Amino acid sequence: MVLLGAAAQVLPAQKPVPIQITIDGTKPVRTMQGGIGASWHAIETPILRSVKIRTPGQVPPGGSAWGANPHPDDDAGWAEVFRHADWLGLDWCRVELEQRMYEPERRRFDWNNPEMRILYRILDWTERRGVEVFLQQMWSNVDWNAHPELRGTDRRVNSSPHSMDDFTYGLGELVEHLSKRKGYRSIRWLGLTNEPGQNWSWWQGPDGKAAPLAPGLAAVRKELDRRGLDVKLAAPDWSGLPEPVPAGYDWEPHIGAYDLHTYGVAFDGMGCGEMQLSGAEYRLWQWSGYAHDRRKPFFLSELGTSLYGTHGRDPGPGIYDSALKDAALVVRGIRSGVDAFNRWSMLNRGDLDGQWQLVDTWDFDANKLRGMFTPHPNSYYLYGLLSRLTAPHSEVLETKVEGNPEERERSLIAATLRSADGHLTVMVVNEMYWNADVTVQLTAAGKRTLRRYAVTPAARDRADVLIEPTGAYPEAGFSDRVPGLSVVVYSTYSLPPTAPGIAGKPRQ
C-alpha cells in the first residue's frame, strides 16, 4: 500500500511524462443535467440522545449529518458561511433534514423551529445563487410512525414508515410548504430516505431487515402528483458502486433520476470494499448508461473517501490524499456520464466520524462554534477548484488523453466542459507522482485566452491558499507542465482569488 502522505512531493528522479490531450469542440458528447456541489444538512439535534457521541472509536448513528451550523438568527455567521459557499461555486447541493424537524407528531407540523429556520437560510441562499437542490429526507426519527416493535427504542430511527399514508402525507406537506408557500423553486429532486437496502440503514421493517423501497416511491409520487408538485424522485441512494439495478427492483415508473454514494474508491490497490479509480470509472459508465437509456440523469449524490480513517476527529477524509482522489473521481465521473456530484459535506462537526467538512466552523475542544470560519485544508481547495470554475448544465466535450504509462496504476486524466454561455474549462488531474509535460489541442477553437489555476502539493494542509489566474494560453492549443499529485484547470473564466465561483442563474 502506498500512502501519499509519505510523499509530500513528486519523485524527483523521474523524467516528466509526455501527455497529449485532444479536445473535440465540434459537438458535445452530452449535456450534464446537474453540476458540482456539496451536502448541506439543517439538522442540529443529535439523532439519538442516548448515545455518547464522543465515545472514542464510535461512529454515531446518523454519522455526521447534524450539527456545526450557526444559530438561525446569527446573521454574521451565516454571511461568513455563504461567503465560502459562494467562493466554492457550489451549484448542485443535496440539502438534508429529518421528519422529526417538521412533523414531530402525526399531522402536527412545526414550520418555525430553529432547525426549520436553518433550512430556510440554506434554501434562501440556493435561490439567490441559482443552485439546484436535491432535498433529502435522511430518516424519519419519529416514534409515532415507527413500527410498534421499534417504538421507544433507539432503533426507531431505522424504521421504515409504519403507516405509508401518514408518511406520504407528511412528506407531501413539507414539499408543498417549501415549494408553494415559501416559494423555493430551487428544489428539483427529492430523496425519501438515506442509503436504503442495507440491514444497517434507515428503511427497515419490524424485523430489522431492509424493507422494499418501491412501495414508498410509488406512494410519494402519487401524493406529489395529487398536490401538483413538479419535484422528481431520485433512487436508490445506495452506498457503494454495485452493478446496475438487478432484477426485482421496480423503481422505474416512479423516479426521475438514479443516484448512488461512494466512499471506498481507491488509489494504488488500497481497496475498501469498492474498487480502483479506473474500475470505478467503468462502473459509473455502466450506471450512467443505464440511466441515460431510460432518459434519466445519474447522480453521485454523496462522495468522499473513508480509506484514511473515519472515527472521532480523524483528519483522514480531508487530507491531501483524500482530496486529490475526490477530484480525480469527479473528472473520471464527468468522463463516464455522471450528471451531478455532491461531496460530503459543506459543514460538519468534524469530531463524529472524521473531518468531512469543507469549511471549519466547529471547535473540537470547546465543543462549540468557532469564532471564525475558515477553509478546511486540502478538500476546500482541491474540490473547490473544480466546483468554482464549472457551470451547471454544461456540455461535455470529447477529451482524449494519450501517453499515460500502461504499467502504472496512476494516470493523468482530463475532462472538458463548455458552459451554456460558451465558456471553456479544461480540468486536469495528475494522479501520478511524476510531473507531466502536457500538450493540449482543441479542434474548432476560437481565439480566446485561457487562464491557468492550480493546486499542487505545496498547498498541502494550508488554509490560506490563494488561487490566482495565471498565464495566457491560446484556446487552439498550448503546452504546459502539470506537477505530479496536482489539479490544474485551464479556463476562459478569469476569476480573481477571492471572487465568487461560477454558479447557476439566480431565481427572479
Side-chain angles (χ1 to χ4, degrees):
M1 178 172 74
V2 178
L3 296 179
L4 298 186
Q9 63 280 327
V10 297
L11 302 184
Q14 172 69 32
K15 183 179 179 180
V17 179
I19 299 288
Q20 174 73 40
I21 299 175
T22 306
I23 304 164
D24 186 350
T26 59
K27 58 182 179 180
V29 175
R30 62 189 176 89
T31 298
M32 292 177 65
Q33 298 181 61
I36 302 176
S39 280
W40 202 333
H41 62 261
I43 306 168
E44 281 295 296
T45 302
I47 190 169
L48 296 178
R49 294 176 183 272
S50 62
V51 174
K52 294 181 179 179
I53 295 301
R54 303 187 76 177
T55 300
Q58 181 183 19
V59 177
S64 45
W66 62 271
N69 286 302
H71 188 276
D73 295 329
D74 182 0
D75 291 340
W78 282 104
E80 184 66 5
V81 168
F82 293 145
R83 183 180 68 82
H84 288 293
D86 289 345
W87 186 91
L88 289 164
L90 306 177
D91 50 43
W92 194 91
C93 289
R94 185 171 179 256
V95 178
E96 301 149 358
L97 71 160
E98 61 179 25
Q99 190 174 13
R100 171 200 56 80
M101 287 170 47
Y102 63 90
E103 193 180 5
E105 300 293 339
R106 179 181 181 272
R107 305 212 178 185
R108 182 174 70 80
F109 296 93
D110 182 356
W111 303 121
N112 199 39
N113 61 65
E115 287 169 304
M116 289 301 295
R117 288 190 288 130
I118 287 173
L119 178 65
Y120 303 150
R121 284 277 196 177
I122 298 168
L123 294 177
D124 287 343
W125 174 80
T126 66
E127 292 291 308
R128 291 195 301 271
R129 287 284 287 171
V131 177
E132 290 189 10
V133 171
F134 182 139
L135 188 68
Q136 177 69 59
Q137 181 154 292
M138 300 294 283
W139 39 74
S140 293
N141 197 19
V142 290
D143 223 44
W144 62 266
N145 203 23
H147 296 296
E149 296 87 341
L150 306 181
R151 292 175 188 168
T153 72
D154 285 350
R155 289 183 56 216
R156 71 181 182 278
V157 73
N158 301 101
S159 182
S160 58
H162 180 62
S163 167
M164 189 62 72
D165 287 343
D166 285 331
F167 176 80
T168 56
Y169 182 87
L171 199 54
E173 194 72 7
L174 170 73
V175 177
E176 183 166 349
H177 172 76
L178 295 175
S179 297
K180 290 188 175 181
R181 298 171 203 148
K182 298 289 289 184
Y184 293 124
R185 291 173 293 164
S186 54
I187 300 173
R188 302 285 305 279
W189 312 95
L190 176 65
L192 308 191
T193 185
N194 183 62
E195 298 181 353
Q198 302 287 339
N199 288 342
W200 48 262
S201 61
W202 294 278
W203 194 265
Q204 295 180 7
D207 58 358
K209 295 182 179 180
L213 185 61
L217 293 169
V220 172
R221 181 70 269 159
K222 183 177 179 181
E223 178 68 10
L224 296 178
D225 291 344
R226 182 183 74 82
R227 294 171 179 261
L229 297 170
D230 186 23
V231 176
K232 294 179 173 62
L233 301 181
D237 212 63
W238 286 342
S239 185
L241 295 178
E243 293 185 2
V245 183
Y249 287 90
D250 188 21
W251 306 323
E252 185 62 26
H254 319 303
I255 68 172
Y258 287 87
D259 75 307
L260 292 180
H261 303 171
T262 175
Y263 289 97
V265 176
F267 279 128
D268 293 341
M270 293 179 66
C272 190
E274 291 181 23
M275 60 193 70
Q276 301 308 297
L277 275 164
S278 56
E281 185 172 353
Y282 176 72
R283 185 57 54 81
L284 295 175
W285 176 82
Q286 288 181 303
W287 270 92
S288 64
Y290 182 93
H292 294 165
D293 285 347
R294 290 154 180 78
R295 299 188 177 182
K296 292 177 170 61
F298 170 56
F299 307 141
L300 274 185
S301 53
E302 286 186 28
L303 68 89
T305 182
S306 58
L307 297 176
Y308 297 95
T310 56
H311 293 293
R313 304 179 184 183
D314 198 308
I319 63 175
Y320 193 91
D321 320 61
S322 297
L324 183 69
K325 191 283 303 176
D326 291 346
L329 180 63
V330 170
V331 172
R332 288 181 180 270
I334 291 171
R335 293 168 57 89
S336 53
V338 179
D339 288 288
F341 303 85
N342 186 76
R343 192 186 180 279
W344 189 272
S345 59
M346 176 60 181
L347 302 183
N348 196 287
R349 284 173 49 131
D351 63 354
L352 301 173
D353 55 4
Q355 296 184 35
W356 298 96
Q357 67 273 21
L358 290 174
V359 179
D360 286 329
T361 63
W362 193 254
D363 186 322
F364 302 145
D365 297 317
N367 202 33
K368 65 178 184 180
L369 282 173
R370 296 168 48 149
M372 180 179 295
F373 303 159
T374 57
H376 190 70
N378 305 312
S379 51
Y380 183 96
Y381 298 107
L382 284 162
Y383 187 80
L385 183 56
L386 302 182
S387 62
R388 76 185 253 99
L389 285 161
T390 53
H393 295 269
S394 290
E395 295 175 335
V396 179
L397 303 184
E398 181 180 275
T399 302
K400 295 181 179 180
V401 180
E402 299 173 294
N404 279 305
E406 294 182 0
E407 71 275 11
R408 297 180 189 150
E409 293 178 312
R410 291 171 176 264
S411 302
L412 182 141
I413 55 174
T416 307
L417 297 182
R418 185 165 56 203
S419 69
D421 56 358
H423 277 283
L424 192 73
T425 298
V426 183
M427 297 165 284
V428 179
V429 179
N430 188 356
E431 304 168 349
M432 299 184 293
Y433 295 97
W434 296 270
N435 296 332
D437 284 342
V438 173
T439 301
V440 180
Q441 290 185 324
L442 174 67
T443 61
K447 297 182 179 180
R448 295 176 299 179
T449 296
L450 287 81
R451 302 298 178 184
R452 182 185 192 269
Y453 307 81
V455 179
T456 73
R460 183 187 296 266
D461 299 334
R462 289 174 51 192
D464 60 349
V465 180
L466 288 178
I467 302 176
E468 300 271 6
T470 61
Y473 296 81
E475 183 178 356
F478 58 88
S479 297
D480 190 30
R481 175 161 292 178
V482 176
L485 309 180
S486 297
V487 177
V488 177
V489 174
Y490 306 92
S491 181
T492 55
Y493 290 116
S494 183
L495 294 184
T498 59
I502 306 304
K505 294 182 179 180
R507 314 272 185 233
Q508 301 297 324

